[in-house]
Amino acid sequence: MKKAELFDLIVKGFGVGFLMLAIIAIPKMLEGIIMTCFHLINGVWDHGGDELAKYMRTLWTTQLSASLGAIFRFIIYLIAAVNFLRSGSWVKKLMGPHIITDASE
């Protein structure tokens, strides 16, 4: 196996890894979207007292920030996975042309 073929195999392996991380981020993303919709449908629960309203706002803010983080992770992992699985051009540009096209083999 030549160095270029081994490099392509390793890059595709990292692409599969990033794809798995993107798939793992989907449930947290969906959970945040569902909780945000639930909160928007039901509105702020101010009728239960000040403490309950404060608790619900804190819960919603925490859920929203977690789901936004999951959405960003999903997008970043998906972009990296697509690039790594297709060609790995970003990695090849970072490593430089002399590393991959070494004619010593």
Side-chain angles (χ1 to χ4, degrees):
M1 183 176 277
K2 294 182 181 178
K3 188 187 287 187
E5 292 172 348
L6 182 62
F7 175 77
D8 286 339
L9 184 65
I10 291 171
V11 167
K12 295 216 186 287
F14 274 104
V16 170
F18 280 126
L19 186 62
M20 293 305 297
L21 288 173
I23 291 170
I24 290 171
I26 290 174
K28 189 65 175 175
M29 184 175 59
L30 291 177
E31 175 188 348
I33 291 170
I34 290 169
M35 288 299 290
T36 302
C37 291
F38 173 76
H39 180 75
L40 292 175
I41 289 170
N42 290 328
V44 180
W45 292 354
D46 285 331
H47 62 274
D50 192 37
E51 292 298 319
L52 180 61
K54 188 186 299 184
Y55 173 74
M56 291 306 293
R57 277 192 296 269
T58 304
L59 181 66
W60 182 69
T61 305
T62 305
Q63 196 68 34
L64 184 65
S65 64
S67 67
L68 285 176
I71 289 170
F72 289 137
R73 277 194 309 273
F74 175 75
I75 291 170
I76 290 170
Y77 289 150
L78 192 63
I79 290 171
V82 166
N83 182 268
F84 278 38
L85 287 173
R86 290 188 74 206
S87 65
S89 60
W90 292 343
V91 178
K92 288 178 185 176
K93 285 178 187 175
L94 288 175
M95 291 184 70
H98 64 281
I99 300 224
I100 303 304
T101 59
D102 189 51
S104 64
E105 295 184 50

